[in-house]
Amino acid sequence: MTPLKISPETAITLSKQLGVPLEHLMHMPQHILLQKIAELSKKQDGGAPQDKAETQPPEKEEQ
């Protein structure tokens, strides 16, 4: 497995935020890393919905 292609600064930041050792992060499969980043994003947003359609009020039809 090849290491992830991310910058050293990004790797260090992700390692701290995810609570994962840097060596584990760099050899983590990409799909698992993306899943962990999505979970982290949900925690930071307070579980807010990501879809804009869910956050916008429905449009009223004019007659």
Side-chain angles (χ1 to χ4, degrees):
M1 194 175 345
T2 59
L4 296 171
K5 296 178 182 176
I6 56 177
S7 70
E9 295 84 12
T10 302
I12 292 169
T13 303
L14 283 173
S15 174
K16 289 178 183 177
Q17 290 183 353
L18 295 173
V20 176
L22 188 58
E23 295 81 15
H24 291 184
L25 178 78
M26 292 305 294
H27 293 284
M28 186 178 290
Q30 188 174 2
H31 69 281
I32 294 176
L33 178 61
L34 291 174
Q35 181 182 11
K36 289 186 178 287
I37 291 172
E39 291 171 4
L40 181 65
S41 177
K42 285 181 183 178
K43 286 181 186 176
Q44 288 180 347
D45 291 343
Q50 298 294 325
D51 189 7
K52 290 182 180 181
E54 292 179 13
T55 59
Q56 294 178 349
E59 296 180 14
K60 295 181 180 177
E61 294 182 19
E62 294 183 24
Q63 294 181 355

